[in-house]
C-alpha cells in the first residue's frame, strides 16, 4: 500500500513539474518584436522581413512576397 502512495506522489510531482515547464514556455513571446511587416508593392501583401524576397531596384531595397513579384516590379520599372 505504501508503494502505491509513492507512485501517486511521483505522478503528481511529475505533473506539477510538467505544468510549470509548460507555463514557462508560454511566457516566452511567440515572435520577435523587431520582426517588421513589410508591404509588397506589387500585390499589396504584408510579409515578415525574414520571409521576404529582397530586391534591389535602382539602388533601393524593396521587399517582396516572392520572386514572381520582384520580377513583375522590375518589368514595371523598365516599362517607364
Ligand atoms: Zn507579392
Amino acid at each position: 500500500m505504501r508503494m502505491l502512495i509513492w507512485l501517486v506522489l511521483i505522478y503528481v510531482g511529475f505533473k506539477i513539474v510538467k505544468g510549470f515547464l509548460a507555463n514557462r514556455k508560454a511566457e516566452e513571446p511567440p515572435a520577435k518584436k523587431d520582426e517588421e511587416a513589410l508591404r509588397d508593392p506589387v500585390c499589396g501583401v504584408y510579409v515578415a522581413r525574414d520571409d521576404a524576397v529582397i530586391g534591389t531596384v535602382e539602388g533601393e531595397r524593396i521587399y517582396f512576397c516572392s520572386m514572381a513579384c520582384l520580377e513583375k516590379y522590375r518589368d514595371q520599372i523598365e516599362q517607364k
Side-chain angles (χ1 to χ4, degrees):
M1 201 61 201
R2 266 188 86 180
M3 189 68 183
L4 190 74
I5 291 161
W6 273 111
L7 280 172
V8 169
L9 280 173
I10 289 163
Y11 177 74
V12 169
F14 180 72
K15 281 209 103 174
I16 289 165
V17 169
K18 217 181 157 189
F20 179 71
L21 290 174
N23 280 338
R24 275 184 57 149
K25 258 191 180 175
E27 278 169 29
E28 285 170 25
K32 277 181 258 166
K33 270 188 179 174
D34 58 12
E35 199 174 271
E36 216 179 307
L38 299 141
R39 196 164 182 265
D40 181 323
V42 177
C43 66
V45 156
Y46 285 90
V47 279
R49 193 184 282 269
D50 288 349
D51 300 330
V53 175
I54 304 163
T56 309
V57 183
E58 293 178 337
E60 226 184 307
R61 274 186 135 204
I62 301 163
Y63 298 84
F64 300 93
C65 70
S66 65
M67 278 304 288
C69 282
L70 167 59
E71 275 159 25
K72 263 189 203 170
Y73 189 81
R74 281 197 170 139
D75 285 348
Q76 280 173 16
I77 293 283
E78 278 166 26
Q79 277 169 21
K80 272 179 190 172

